[in-house]
Amino acid sequence: MSRRESPPPPSPPPPPQLLGVRRGEVECEDRPERAEPLSDAEREIIQDTWGQVYKNCEDVGVSVLIRFFVNFPSAKQYFSQFQDMEDPDEMERSSQLRHHARRVMNAINTVVENLHDPEKVSSVLALVGKAHALKHKVEPMYFKILSGVMLEVLSEDFPEFFTAEVQMVWTKLMGAVYWHVTGAYTEVGWLQVSSSAV
């Protein structure tokens, strides 16, 4: 190579990845055509157990968000009000975190109260998905992560209600929530559907 020829510029680094999903993509290869519907018995189980949880909705929501942010600190990037908080006690005292916890729990409550009306559930979750995609620019995988954290907290805080059977039913509900939310992301053009989410 002569002095005039310079080596080619290095290729740009690959896009950042979290849990095997690149920004702007969602794991779509395994996405079913529709969410698996809940049976009448499953809807009743969810509504009965949620009644116990919702009595303490703010505290439960705060516990869920604290665990979410402690275990997945990258999620705090979307919250300017508490993104620099590291201490769980400080998070627990944050009025902004409490406010968001109430919003999360109220959204779940709306879903649970309307399980008999799939169109209403779909509409509510479409609004949540679109707001998070367009306004907040939140990566959709955080909904899946948050769902898992919520199920952990519920089963630990309410072991008498969240038996193995109940946990399976709630897992099915959270899968449906994620399905609807990611559908909203797709609808607004957020996703570039990838058959290889690596």
Side-chain angles (χ1 to χ4, degrees):
M1 185 183 307
S2 72
R3 290 188 167 252
R4 289 188 192 170
E5 293 179 72
S6 55
S11 17
Q17 294 184 24
L18 273 172
L19 298 177
V21 180
R22 289 188 289 269
R23 179 172 182 79
E25 294 182 352
V26 149
E27 300 170 50
C28 295
E29 62 200 30
D30 296 327
R31 188 173 196 269
E33 192 172 306
R34 65 187 184 95
E36 187 180 349
L38 297 168
S39 69
D40 290 342
E42 290 170 330
R43 282 195 295 273
E44 189 174 321
I45 287 169
I46 289 167
Q47 289 169 332
D48 288 348
T49 52
W50 182 250
Q52 300 302 318
V53 172
Y54 201 65
K55 291 176 185 175
N56 304 302
C57 74
E58 186 174 319
D59 290 337
V60 174
V62 167
S63 294
V64 168
L65 289 183
I66 288 172
R67 181 167 307 179
F68 180 55
F69 293 136
V70 167
N71 293 346
F72 303 93
S74 62
K76 291 189 294 181
Q77 68 184 304
Y78 302 107
F79 299 91
S80 59
Q81 320 92 307
F82 42 87
Q83 68 183 201
D84 296 325
M85 292 182 190
E86 300 294 328
D87 180 30
D89 292 332
E90 182 183 8
M91 288 182 208
E92 189 170 4
R93 292 188 301 270
S94 167
S95 61
Q96 294 96 341
L97 190 135
R98 285 195 165 276
H99 177 73
H100 195 68
R102 275 193 306 274
R103 289 184 66 144
V104 169
M105 297 301 278
N106 286 334
I108 298 294
N109 188 59
T110 301
V111 168
V112 170
E113 284 182 344
N114 290 285
L115 287 176
H116 64 281
D117 184 353
E119 293 302 316
K120 174 76 173 183
V121 169
S122 183
S123 173
V124 166
L125 294 175
L127 289 173
V128 169
K130 288 175 184 176
H132 283 79
L134 298 173
K135 182 178 179 187
H136 307 299
K137 310 276 191 255
V138 174
E139 297 286 346
M141 61 151 175
Y142 284 110
F143 283 93
K144 185 181 274 189
I145 296 168
L146 181 61
S147 294
V149 171
M150 181 174 284
L151 292 174
E152 281 178 16
V153 170
L154 295 180
S155 61
E156 289 170 15
D157 288 1
F158 301 92
E160 66 278 22
F161 300 109
F162 280 80
T163 62
E165 177 193 7
V166 170
Q167 288 177 44
M168 286 176 48
V169 173
W170 271 89
T171 299
K172 186 175 175 181
L173 173 65
M174 289 300 170
V177 167
Y178 182 71
W179 186 89
H180 283 287
V181 168
T182 57
Y185 272 74
T186 302
E187 190 177 311
V188 299
W190 172 279
L191 304 177
Q192 298 169 354
V193 177
S194 170
S195 60
S196 64
V198 288

